Amino acid sequence: MPTLEWIGKDKVLNHHQEVPFRILDKKYTFNAENSENMIIHGDNLLALKSLLPQYEGRIDCIYIDPPYNTGNEKWVYNDNVNDPRIKKWLGEVVGAEGEDLSRHDKWLCMMYPRLKLLHKLLSEKGVIFISIDDNEQANLKLICDEIFGVRNFIANICHKSRSSISNDLILSPNHNIVLFYAKNIDNVFARRRQFRMVADETEFKLDDNDGKGKYKLVPVDGPGGAAKGNPYYEFLGVTGYWRYSKDTMQELYEKGEIVKRKTSLSRKYYYSKAIEKGGKSYSTWWDDAGSATNGTNLIKDIFNEKTFDTPKPLDLLERIVKISTQSNSIVLDSFAGSGTTAQAVLNINKQDNGKRKFILVEMMDYADTITAERVKRVINGYGKDDKAVAGVPGDFTYYELGQPLFKDDKNLNEEVPEEEIRNYVYYMETKKPLDTETTDNPYLLGKNNDTAYYFYYKKDEITTLNHEFLSTINTKATEYIIYADKCVLAQEVMEKFNIVFKKIPRDITRL
Ligand SMILES: C[S@@+](CC[C@H](N)C(=O)[O-])C[C@H]1O[C@@H](n2cnc3c(N)ncnc32)[C@H](O)[C@@H]1O
């Protein structure tokens, strides 16, 4: 398989593993006591890492709309890549084509570790959509093939984003690409019907009030006529090349599903059947999913001014969320901008009473004043008089990136709340969230697969795994994994009770 090489690739290949794990600081919750919808202010490289303990393998739909690298964009990344050359390099403003020969290398260095983390967060049935234009689409396709697997590529969706012709170039660029990959193509292929259009109920206008529901009339002529080998016969006095054999036609007629109008025959196609079939497949050409202007106009409606330059149309995001999620899916957008993705999730939930959750990450300071503010207005309703739009049910919690869990990459950071450390340790052991309901001693983290996990940690004291500690254990398990600063138990005691000692912080696995 061809792979892409660029300057700095060797430095970023495993960089996602070196990114320090930070906790997320809850700032406020809007419209509820608690909410699983999240808006995180911070660089997504760090935020995605912070999401791993709770969300690895759990995200069904990722949509991202990263900077397209047009040459106009000012970047503020240095990405904490340890190599000083890359640090300096990524920190600089990216120049236009021809001015900055390493422009594409820099963009790839920025994207690669983020895509690696996104890949980890995707569930086994999950999919990712990435908006891009010609500046980077070819490069992006190759690194996605590398990260997601060439086999998991689904489509380059062509999204018509503008209608007006620009005379500035040789051809007017009127579309964006949305790269579409699966985490595992087999799982997505197996449920491919879900990605089809939902049959439009308004097309089914007829009803015989016989309990079979609404229907529309569709032709029974065989497509392609004689050339396609359709059977030719006379039925109800009409002769033609038909879609079905004479026996099937007779059966349909006896069920009352063939209708004769003057010299033509049609079939009743019921809405219930259309729902069962899941509607028609979408093509890869999306010229009806809203335009850049629609996106901008919506921002103006919500804020009364153009507060954000490059919002995506809501229609595009609603389609993506609708086709790729189930009613309890989690949707992630780590280049959130004005928060179109959150609005789409809330709207689709309202349409089908779903419980989808969203997670947005935005690094700029407008994460609160634009991204979160838009979501608040969508929930509360916005606009006046004939432009008033009703609110939709929803809530979210707003976070800032918090402290790193480890100081100097070695010791536990004492400023991090103990609960966060316990959560992290238990997740690294079991890939499960902490079990908070416990009647055992306060150091029990939880029990999983008949193994009990203890984290004997005190901020200002050295803890010792000894007989006294053992006597406080009430949980019955086949194996005990106990973290502490020291262990003085004899080997035979450890073997008798099946205890594994893990030293703090040395044996805490790093993400
Ligand atoms: C093209 S805009 C996304 C627009 C969005 N789809 C919408 O409909 O409003 C890209 C956004 O990603 C943000 N961004 C860029 N790099 C980021 C990073 N490393 N972490 C988090 N956000 C980032 C930018 O600040 C910008 O708001």
Side-chain angles (χ1 to χ4, degrees):
M1 187 186 97
T3 49
L4 188 65
E5 292 300 329
W6 68 88
I7 304 168
K9 182 175 185 180
D10 55 329
K11 304 287 183 305
V12 294
L13 269 183
N14 292 314
H15 180 54
H16 62 286
Q17 286 163 357
E18 289 149 24
V19 175
F21 176 83
R22 284 171 183 267
I23 58 163
L24 294 172
D25 265 352
K26 202 186 251 192
K27 291 296 169 193
Y28 65 88
T29 298
F30 178 76
N31 211 29
E33 286 272 293
N34 287 305
S35 172
E36 288 174 60
N37 291 322
M38 305 171 84
I39 299 181
I40 305 167
H41 175 211
D43 186 333
N44 52 22
L45 188 63
L46 297 167
L48 294 175
K49 188 87 179 215
S50 303
L51 289 170
L52 278 182
Q54 209 180 339
Y55 292 102
E56 184 169 1
R58 289 188 55 207
I59 309 287
D60 284 344
C61 168
I62 295 176
Y63 171 76
I64 56 168
D65 180 16
Y68 285 1
N69 208 10
T70 57
N72 302 325
E73 289 151 318
K74 287 196 167 63
W75 291 16
V76 285
Y77 310 104
N78 70 31
D79 266 8
N80 299 316
V81 180
N82 284 329
D83 187 271
R85 194 178 43 133
I86 295 207
K87 255 188 177 170
K88 174 166 177 280
W89 210 46
L90 283 175
E92 286 167 357
V93 173
V94 182
E97 196 80 67
E99 281 168 26
D100 179 355
L101 295 178
S102 58
R103 185 179 138 197
H104 301 284
D105 306 75
K106 290 174 182 173
W107 189 86
L108 287 161
C109 284
M110 183 274 286
M111 286 303 288
Y112 196 89
R114 290 171 172 81
L115 290 170
K116 286 286 252 196
L117 291 171
L118 290 169
H119 181 250
K120 278 176 173 288
L121 287 160
L122 268 187
S123 71
E124 275 306 298
K125 60 176 190 232
V127 287
I128 180 166
F129 299 84
I130 311 174
S131 281
I132 201 70
D133 75 2
D134 287 341
N135 282 292
E136 294 296 351
Q137 110 53 45
N139 290 331
L140 179 64
K141 170 76 174 55
L142 286 174
I143 57 169
C144 284
D145 282 349
E146 193 174 319
I147 294 169
F148 295 95
V150 75
R151 204 176 153 257
N152 293 317
F153 169 71
I154 299 176
N156 273 321
I157 297 167
C158 191
H159 169 229
K160 182 179 172 191
S161 54
R162 57 184 269 173
S163 300
S164 59
I165 293 293
S166 152
N167 291 320
D168 295 347
L169 298 171
I170 300 167
L171 293 181
S172 173
N174 281 31
H175 72 281
N176 285 176
I177 291 295
V178 184
L179 272 183
F180 178 19
Y181 279 79
K183 173 80 171 256
N184 179 340
I185 191 72
D186 297 330
N187 294 341
V188 174
F189 194 75
R191 61 186 181 102
R192 61 192 180 282
R193 281 189 170 184
Q194 191 204 315
F195 290 83
R196 294 183 181 166
M197 289 177 216
V198 178
D200 182 357
E201 194 173 358
T202 58
E203 286 178 10
F204 296 75
K205 294 194 171 74
L206 305 168
D207 197 337
D208 295 340
N209 295 315
D210 56 359
K212 290 186 176 174
K214 292 192 171 163
Y215 65 89
K216 64 179 179 180
L217 292 174
V218 295
V220 280
D221 307 270
K228 290 279 173 192
N230 291 297
Y232 182 80
Y233 55 86
E234 187 230 301
F235 199 80
L236 301 181
V238 186
T239 311
Y241 292 97
W242 305 114
R243 189 177 282 250
Y244 312 107
S245 70
K246 199 165 186 176
D247 287 349
T248 308
M249 200 81 139
Q250 183 63 30
E251 242 174 72
L252 290 169
Y253 176 66
E254 283 166 18
K255 283 202 277 178
E257 290 186 14
I258 296 293
V259 175
K260 184 176 174 191
R261 289 248 175 92
K262 294 188 183 145
T263 55
S264 74
L265 300 180
S266 321
R267 178 181 177 185
K268 293 177 186 172
Y269 185 53
Y270 288 94
Y271 181 59
S272 53
K273 184 85 184 170
I275 290 289
E276 198 183 299
K277 285 182 75 175
K280 262 196 291 187
S281 289
Y282 282 100
S283 78
T284 50
W285 166 233
W286 290 11
D287 62 346
D288 55 349
S291 64
T293 311
N294 294 146
T296 302
N297 287 343
L298 181 57
I299 285 290
K300 287 189 199 153
D301 288 347
I302 296 174
F303 287 101
N304 301 317
E305 56 179 323
K306 187 181 168 191
T307 47
F308 191 79
D309 278 338
T310 51
K312 281 287 179 279
L314 184 61
D315 283 355
L316 175 70
L317 268 304
E318 285 188 350
R319 178 173 299 176
I320 284 174
V321 170
K322 208 179 212 166
I323 63 176
S324 66
T325 62
Q326 274 122 353
S327 71
N328 57 355
S329 292
I330 306 171
V331 179
L332 167 65
D333 181 345
S334 55
F335 291 88
S338 68
T340 313
T341 303
Q343 185 170 3
V345 169
L346 294 177
N347 283 0
I348 301 300
N349 276 348
K350 184 165 183 217
Q351 278 174 25
D352 66 3
N353 282 323
K355 292 191 164 42
R356 295 167 190 82
K357 299 284 176 255
F358 62 79
I359 302 175
L360 304 187
V361 185
E362 171 55 54
M363 104 186 144
M364 300 303 274
D365 284 345
Y366 54 69
D368 200 15
T369 53
I370 297 181
T371 320
E373 182 58 30
R374 173 181 186 169
V375 185
K376 289 178 193 170
R377 291 182 187 213
V378 166
I379 292 170
N380 287 338
Y382 56 87
K384 281 200 192 116
D385 306 325
D386 58 332
K387 282 196 132 187
V389 175
V392 292
D395 43 54
F396 65 88
T397 300
Y398 185 85
Y399 297 84
E400 294 282 349
L401 280 173
Q403 296 272 346
L405 197 79
F406 295 97
K407 257 205 307 223
D408 332 315
D409 238 10
K410 268 207 298 282
N411 296 316
L412 282 171
N413 181 351
E414 288 175 2
E415 285 166 48
V416 171
E418 270 175 42
E419 203 53 18
E420 297 281 355
I421 303 177
R422 287 162 55 82
N423 216 342
Y424 176 89
V425 172
Y426 191 62
Y427 176 81
M428 293 314 291
E429 288 285 356
T430 63
K431 297 273 169 198
K432 292 194 176 140
L434 202 63
D435 180 2
T436 45
E437 306 243 323
T438 156
T439 51
D440 199 350
N441 84 31
Y443 303 104
L444 176 73
L445 297 173
K447 195 171 148 185
N448 185 49
N449 290 338
D450 218 20
T451 301
Y453 296 87
Y454 290 82
F455 190 63
Y456 187 24
Y457 171 71
K458 292 183 184 173
K459 235 185 219 173
D460 310 314
E461 266 179 54
I462 303 277
T463 58
T464 305
L465 171 53
N466 51 20
H467 282 280
E468 196 187 334
F469 183 80
L470 282 194
S471 67
T472 64
I473 289 182
N474 295 322
T475 300
K476 293 260 167 299
T478 330
E479 192 187 12
Y480 294 86
I481 293 186
I482 305 177
Y483 285 82
D485 292 311
K486 279 191 341 199
C487 174
V488 293
L489 294 177
Q491 192 57 33
E492 65 253 33
V493 178
M494 307 274 280
E495 279 168 18
K496 181 171 165 208
F497 295 108
N498 217 356
I499 295 170
V500 176
F501 164 66
K502 293 203 174 177
K503 189 169 167 56
I504 300 172
R506 186 195 64 195
D507 295 332
I508 302 176
T509 313
R510 311 299 154 100
L511 256 176

